[in-house]
Amino acid sequence: MAKQYAWSNNERERDRLARQGEQLRPATEKLFRAAGTGPGARVLDCGSGGGDVSLIVADLVTSSGEVLGVDRDPDNVEAANRRVADTGLSNVRFEIGDIADPPEGQFDAIVGRLVLMYQPDLEAVLRALADRVVAGGVMAFLEFEHMSSAGVMMSPQSPSIEQLSRWMTAGFEATGVPERVASRLPSALRSVGLVPQPPYELSGRLSRRRRGGAREHPAARAVGCADRPRHCERRRT
């Protein structure tokens, strides 16, 4: 059983995740495109929540593809199904499920964002998911990497950001969620018979200078994220 989600699964939290999802959308879409997710693909979205990742995938697979999202929380599933109904999408649906026991059937791609970090047995979950990937198919996950031991890597140093990092470390400790999941993915993927593929990268939002000299500096852009996209391919047998 996955760890209990630290935040409430309510409308306010789904709104927060949707705003966070917009910040992460460029990195998410880049990863899925690199993984070859395209028109006609059948895709499983793991821990689909309010449907943010599934809607990105729906744009990539077009109406000729199919997206199935699974989430443990019935309220999330209901909200996500309402959302796609309101948008008129007929090839995206959501159902209650646990990714440790994925739905039957074969998928061209299995994807997720910030979901493996909540799995107590990462390798067991990846092994179960790998059984649902067609030969030559892919799994693509974007996961968080919090490196508290390295401190805040920025210059000049910011007391506010250092305090934020300490709060994050305390949050990971209090919830029992591991800080470092992304860096474990290559070896974990290999252990279940998958072959990690590039891109191996850290994705971050950067400040940039506007014309006239003023610099954009919203919080989401001032801090480099430690989300590490990974995708892997199943060997053809």
Side-chain angles (χ1 to χ4, degrees), residues 83-136:
R83 185 177 181 184
V84 295
D86 290 343
T87 61
L89 291 172
S90 59
N91 63 330
V92 183
R93 62 186 176 90
F94 302 89
E95 61 182 42
I96 300 170
D98 192 317
I99 65 172
D101 184 21
E104 296 294 330
Q106 295 287 289
F107 298 88
D108 301 298
I110 295 179
V111 304
R113 185 173 68 194
L114 305 183
V115 61
L116 296 179
M117 60 194 291
Y118 295 106
Q119 309 307 311
D121 190 338
L122 176 61
E123 285 77 9
V125 168
L126 291 176
R127 190 174 299 108
L129 292 172
D131 286 341
R132 300 291 189 266
V133 181
V134 301

Side-chain angles (χ1 to χ4, degrees), residues 28-44 53-54 56-62 65-67 108-112 136-141 231-232:
T28 307
E29 187 171 335
K30 178 183 178 181
L31 171 64
F32 294 167
R33 288 187 183 279
T37 307
R42 185 168 189 255
V43 182
L44 176 66
V53 170
S54 290
I56 295 174
V57 177
D59 287 343
L60 299 177
V61 303
T62 72
E66 178 185 355
V67 184
D108 301 298
I110 295 179
V111 304
V138 298
M139 294 206 302
F141 289 89
H231 86 271
C232 60

Side-chain angles (χ1 to χ4, degrees), residues 184-233:
R184 289 180 55 199
L185 281 181
S187 60
L189 293 167
R190 290 188 184 95
S191 75
V192 300
L194 297 167
V195 184
Q197 304 289 318
Y200 298 149
E201 63 182 52
L202 295 176
S203 294
R205 296 297 297 267
L206 304 177
S207 299
R208 61 183 177 184
R209 191 170 297 278
R210 290 194 185 121
R211 292 181 180 177
R215 186 175 61 175
E216 293 183 359
H217 200 69
R221 293 194 179 187
V223 185
C225 300
D227 297 295
R228 188 185 300 261
R230 299 279 183 184
H231 86 271
C232 60
E233 191 169 272

